[in-house]
Amino acid sequence: KQEVTQIPAALSVPEGENLVLNCSFTDSAIYNLQWFRQDPGKGLTSLLLIQSSQREQTSGRLNASLDKSSGRSTLYIAASQPGDSATYLCAVRGAQKLVFGQGTRLTINP
Amino acid sequence: EPEVTQTPSHQVTQMGQEVILRCVPISNHLYFYWYRQILGQKVEFLVSFYNNEISEKSEIFDDQFSVERPDGSNFTLKIRSTKLEDSAMYFCASLGQAFDQPQHFGDGTRLSIL
């Protein structure tokens, strides 16, 4: 059974810092991995999708990497801004469903 | 950009009543999903639907739950005889014809059982 873990559970940093969020999964037989952003009480916004054959994907200040063999992914956020404050979720996809981690609650302090 | 639409945004229901949560997936998508998120917990998969039938379901998705695509645009989740523990945010998602694309999520329906 696939298990997804995200570390840390919460992170608070000053504005402008670069930061890394971590995601690990137990079964490397994945189809792809998706990073989401969730604001309090809101829906899921897809940030990046990495296929199992890819090593990384970039979108603006975000860069996600994938090491399928070791069951790890990282989300790198450059030059953080207060508007980046949210919970970031990692989800891996097997045949059909997404399996989600618990999320990292990120706070960027002005 | 096309989006997944869910209604209502918030539903309050008495325990034991039936509720129907509605979703309009992106129009040319073929795969449809329901997930739920109990407050403070992980997002959990409930069911996937393709070609007018359930393709996978979780242990949570018991006889209390059913899904339907009544026409070419709507995708519904019905919960019969609701329980307090059904209180959660319910998300609908859809996926296009290319299986290597991201799942697109709606904004969710917050279901509160009293």
Side-chain angles (χ1 to χ4, degrees):
Chain A
K1 179 185 173 185
Q2 180 73 270
E3 296 284 345
V4 180
T5 303
Q6 292 187 244
I7 295 172
L11 181 64
S12 180
V13 300
E15 181 178 2
E17 281 202 5
N18 303 325
L19 55 99
V20 175
L21 308 181
N22 296 292
C23 171
S24 61
F25 47 95
T26 55
D27 185 352
S28 62
I30 65 169
Y31 201 85
N32 54 42
L33 183 146
Q34 229 171 317
W35 281 93
F36 293 88
R37 169 186 172 134
Q38 184 176 33
D39 292 290
K42 301 295 186 183
L44 306 176
T45 301
S46 182
L47 298 173
L48 287 164
L49 172 76
I50 311 179
Q51 304 299 338
S52 62
S53 58
Q54 296 176 319
R55 298 286 294 186
E56 64 179 273
Q57 280 287 331
T58 298
S59 176
R61 294 183 294 107
L62 306 180
N63 176 275
S65 69
L66 174 63
D67 184 342
K68 198 176 76 159
S69 61
S70 67
R72 295 175 189 274
S73 177
T74 62
L75 179 66
Y76 175 83
I77 303 177
S80 58
Q81 304 170 357
D84 294 331
S85 297
T87 295
Y88 290 80
L89 303 176
C90 160
V92 298
R93 183 165 140 221
Q96 284 274 353
K97 65 186 180 187
L98 289 175
V99 178
F100 284 81
Q102 183 79 8
T104 293
R105 189 173 68 253
L106 177 65
T107 303
I108 308 297
N109 301 302
Chain B
E1 183 178 325
E3 57 182 30
V4 176
T5 305
Q6 289 187 242
T7 55
S9 57
H10 191 192
Q11 174 83 45
V12 181
T13 302
Q14 291 290 328
M15 185 173 61
Q17 296 296 305
E18 174 182 287
V19 295
I20 297 176
L21 309 183
R22 303 182 189 278
C23 170
V24 178
I26 295 173
S27 62
N28 62 346
H29 281 191
L30 299 179
Y31 302 87
F32 313 110
Y33 308 86
W34 285 101
Y35 295 82
R36 79 173 185 188
Q37 186 179 32
I38 295 171
L39 188 63
Q41 298 188 20
K42 291 184 178 183
V43 176
E44 306 171 284
F45 168 78
L46 292 178
V47 65
S48 59
F49 192 86
Y50 170 73
N51 200 26
N52 283 321
E53 61 183 26
I54 291 173
S55 49
E56 186 177 354
K57 60 183 182 179
S58 71
E59 295 171 351
I60 304 167
F61 196 89
D62 59 20
D63 292 342
Q64 183 193 6
F65 295 89
S66 62
V67 289
E68 192 177 35
R69 189 156 162 79
D71 52 42
S73 59
N74 291 285
F75 180 50
T76 62
L77 174 69
K78 181 188 291 185
I79 310 175
R80 287 179 283 274
S81 189
T82 50
K83 308 169 195 170
L84 294 176
E85 54 264 37
D86 294 328
S87 295
M89 181 78 95
Y90 287 80
F91 294 108
C92 173
S94 69
L95 176 66
Q97 299 180 39
F99 215 57
D100 60 353
Q101 293 301 302
Q103 290 186 18
H104 294 261
F105 280 73
D107 286 340
T109 293
R110 180 167 300 283
L111 178 62
S112 300
I113 307 299
L114 305 179

